Amino acid sequence: MNGEAGKDGNVLVYTRPGCPFCISLRAGLRRHGVSFEETDIWQDERAAAAVRELADGNETVPTVVIGSWSAVNPSAEAVREAAATHAPAALPESEPGLVNGALRALRLRDS
């Protein structure tokens, strides 16, 4: 299973190109400053198999794995809350403000 990164206390997000829900989740995670790894299920058959295992046989994305926690199409807030428990190192030391969060979401600022 390609979710091994998610098992190491990291946030692993399974996606596919053009998925509007994936785009929204990525923007939300960036807005909150959550570090994450992303795997395209169309480029990685093991990742697609992992998603099917978690999503009742479907290739529904985004699917997120953080340690023992996983969710299909979660909100950025749900991922942030799970990261606080299962991958605290993926969270910033302080929540970014409105402007910094928006700039991160747009990928105009990294920190």
Side-chain angles (χ1 to χ4, degrees):
M1 177 162 142
N2 194 18
E4 295 309 312
K7 302 295 184 200
D8 294 336
N10 297 325
V11 177
L12 177 60
V13 181
Y14 292 107
T15 64
R16 66 168 175 75
C19 168
F21 302 105
C22 299
I23 293 166
S24 177
L25 179 62
R26 277 192 299 264
L29 294 177
R30 288 185 187 118
R31 185 173 50 252
H32 288 292
V34 178
S35 299
F36 62 95
E37 296 178 34
E38 186 174 348
T39 301
D40 178 350
I41 66 167
W42 285 0
Q43 298 296 315
D44 185 333
E45 178 52 40
R46 291 184 341 193
V51 168
R52 286 190 300 270
E53 184 178 318
L54 294 168
D56 297 324
N58 300 303
E59 290 186 358
T60 306
V61 291
T63 294
V64 180
V65 176
I66 311 170
S68 61
W69 182 89
S70 65
V72 177
N73 198 18
S75 67
E77 184 61 29
V79 174
R80 190 180 71 72
E81 289 175 8
T85 300
H86 301 282
L91 299 176
E93 289 183 23
S94 63
E95 187 75 15
L98 180 62
V99 172
N100 281 335
L103 291 172
R104 283 180 180 182
L106 294 170
R107 299 191 86 176
L108 298 173
R109 183 172 288 167
D110 289 330
S111 56

